[in-house]
DNA sequence: TAGATACCTTATAG
DNA sequence: ACTATAAGGTATC
């Protein structure tokens, strides 16, 4: 096992691990079993979180777990997790600059102040695509439970520190599933979407990472060719996996926010409303703004 | 092109 | 206990 730590004071704008991985941006991180880590729970908020990696220079997938403690991210892994964590948690983003550049409006400022250190994630493209296909009309806890079920059913088992983990399934593994099996895991009508999308990726017909070469709106359009991917899910994959920080997924929360705080931005169609709210959120980093606002409002934050 | 409807399943409200 | 409703929407008509 390798271990390491990343001093949070070396990261511009700091880091808040819990907010980053539990704010509904990613369904590919899990909290360690609470009963196994009573000791950590006593410290409050410094639980271990884990995910799996597929380092290119290694045959087997690797486990990476991390917790935030005493101003640092402490990690344990099969491999040197430092570069992986910097990539997956976007530790190079300058949060102070992003917050400073955001439009000076009461709601946005309150949201940034409430969750200092929260970062956008950079999930692996395939896992991001599948998990957000699963997100349709579903609650956060259940979306996460679906990904855990997919790991256990189709992901390669990995032993780490005496425990068994499961890698996120490969496109081939998911493409080999049946619709009935996926329905049994509780995916409902999303089962054929996940299956057909996995088949598209496995066959080489299309890959989510290909959208990364396109301009933002063309990339969003491109992703909608995957079954079960509409404009909202496409925006989630662009923002939380493919580095399009200007993407603003128009979900029910943001639509409610638009109604209440930015009524002029409601232009009817997704594309036009998206442009308007993207401008209202400052353009280049509008997705960051969206994530702060989403998390703030979802946890009951308000503006007088 | 814009609008209406069905869709799996589960948790929560009433 | 039992029914209605909504949950980070999409495909289809």
């Amino acid at each position: 096992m390798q271990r390491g730590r990343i001093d949070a004071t070396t990261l511009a704008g700091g880091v808040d691990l819990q907010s980053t991985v539990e704010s509904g941006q990613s369904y590919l991180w899990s909290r360690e079993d609470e009963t196994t880590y009573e000791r950590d729970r006593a410290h409050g908020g410094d639980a271990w979180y884990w995910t799996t990696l597929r380092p290119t220079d290694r045959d087997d997938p690797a486990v990476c777990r991390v917790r935030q403690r005493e101003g640092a991210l402490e990690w344990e892994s099969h491999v040197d997790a430092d570069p992986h964590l910097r990539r997956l948690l976007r530790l190079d983003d300058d949060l102070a600059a992003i917050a400073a550049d955001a439009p000076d409006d009461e709601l946005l400022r309150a949201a940034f102040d409430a969750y200092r250190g929260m970062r956008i994630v950079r999930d692996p493209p395939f896992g991001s695509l599948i998990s957000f296909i699963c997100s349709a009309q579903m609650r956060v806890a259940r979306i996460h439970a679906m990904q855990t079920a997919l790991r256990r059913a189709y992901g390669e088992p990995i032993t780490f520190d005496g425990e068994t983990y499961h890698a996120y399934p490969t496109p081939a593994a998911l493409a080999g599933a049946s619709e009935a099996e996926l329905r049994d895991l509780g995916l409902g009508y999303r089962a054929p979407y996940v299956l057909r999308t996995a088949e598209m990726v496995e066959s080489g017909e299309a890959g989510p990472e290909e959208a990364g070469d396109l301009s933002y709106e063309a990339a969003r359009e491109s992703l909608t060719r995957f079954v079960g991917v509409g404009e909202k899910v496409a925006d989630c994959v662009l923002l939380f996996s493919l580095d399009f920080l200007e993407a603003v997924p128009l979900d029910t929360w943001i639509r409610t926010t638009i109604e209440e705080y930015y009524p002029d931005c409601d232009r009817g169609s997704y594309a036009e409303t998206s442009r308007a709210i993207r401008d209202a959120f400052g353009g280049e980093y509008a997705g960051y703004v969206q994530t702060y606002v989403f998390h703030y409002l979802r946890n009951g934050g308000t503006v007088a």
Side-chain angles (χ1 to χ4, degrees):
Chain A
M1 179 194 294
Q2 299 189 42
R3 302 172 196 269
R5 68 197 300 280
I6 299 172
D7 188 342
T9 63
T10 64
L11 307 173
V15 63
D16 179 340
L17 179 64
Q18 181 175 8
S19 293
T20 300
V21 300
E22 289 197 302
S23 51
Q25 309 175 42
S26 173
Y27 302 99
L28 305 181
W29 285 90
S30 299
R31 204 139 96 83
E32 289 281 5
D33 188 310
E34 293 165 359
T35 59
T36 310
Y37 289 86
E38 287 293 338
R39 180 196 50 160
D40 299 319
R41 217 168 43 156
H43 288 270
D46 62 353
W48 286 101
Y49 294 88
W50 65 269
T51 191
T52 51
L53 314 167
R54 295 184 185 281
T56 53
D57 58 347
R58 195 171 189 274
D59 289 336
D60 299 320
V63 171
C64 170
R65 65 185 179 204
V66 57
R67 69 175 171 182
Q68 182 160 18
R69 203 171 201 187
E70 294 172 359
L73 296 179
E74 300 177 353
W75 58 262
E76 301 176 342
S77 177
H78 287 103
V79 299
D80 175 9
D82 187 284
H84 296 287
L85 286 171
R86 291 182 189 276
R87 181 183 71 255
L88 295 174
L89 301 178
R90 299 194 67 104
L91 298 182
D92 292 331
D93 287 346
D94 186 340
L95 296 186
I98 290 169
D101 284 351
D104 188 12
D105 114 0
E106 201 178 350
L107 172 64
L108 305 191
R109 208 142 295 291
F112 270 104
D113 284 344
Y115 297 100
R116 289 191 180 284
M118 180 169 68
R119 289 169 184 273
I120 297 276
V121 296
R122 188 186 278 123
D123 278 345
F126 182 67
S128 181
L129 181 65
I130 296 299
S131 58
F132 279 101
I133 287 173
C134 291
S135 76
Q137 292 292 100
M138 200 48 67
R139 295 174 192 230
V140 168
R142 289 201 56 212
I143 301 164
H144 189 268
M146 288 180 193
Q147 308 318 305
T148 299
L150 289 175
R151 282 182 185 274
R152 288 181 180 157
Y154 305 104
E156 182 179 338
I158 318 167
T159 300
F160 178 67
D161 195 22
E163 296 191 50
T164 300
Y165 296 80
H166 291 269
Y168 196 82
T170 60
L174 273 188
S178 72
E179 181 181 327
E181 288 171 352
L182 294 177
R183 281 181 183 271
D184 285 343
L185 294 180
L187 297 203
Y189 62 78
R190 304 156 196 79
Y193 299 167
V194 166
L195 183 54
R196 291 173 61 190
T197 289
E199 288 169 348
M200 290 172 73
V201 177
E202 166 56 14
S203 70
E205 177 183 343
E209 69 286 346
E210 292 162 13
D213 298 328
L214 306 174
S215 64
Y216 167 55
E217 293 197 356
R220 185 174 67 200
E221 184 61 28
S222 168
L223 284 179
T224 62
R225 61 185 158 163
F226 292 105
V227 185
V229 178
E231 291 168 303
K232 185 271 178 185
V233 167
D235 266 333
C236 287
V237 175
L238 293 177
L239 177 58
F240 301 128
S241 178
L242 297 178
D243 296 323
F244 287 85
L245 296 183
E246 69 267 53
V248 178
L250 297 185
D251 53 61
T252 55
W253 291 88
I254 290 300
R255 285 182 183 279
T256 300
T257 303
I258 291 172
E259 275 181 42
E260 291 186 15
Y261 298 95
Y262 306 93
D264 293 345
C265 290
D266 185 357
R267 307 291 169 81
S269 77
Y270 188 102
E272 292 301 322
T273 302
S274 171
R275 275 181 206 153
I277 195 66
R278 189 157 72 251
D279 286 344
F281 281 176
E284 188 177 6
Y285 296 109
Y288 247 108
V289 175
Q290 178 271 359
T291 297
Y292 275 87
V293 169
F294 176 82
H295 196 52
Y296 181 66
L297 295 177
R298 202 164 71 85
N299 288 319
T302 55
V303 172

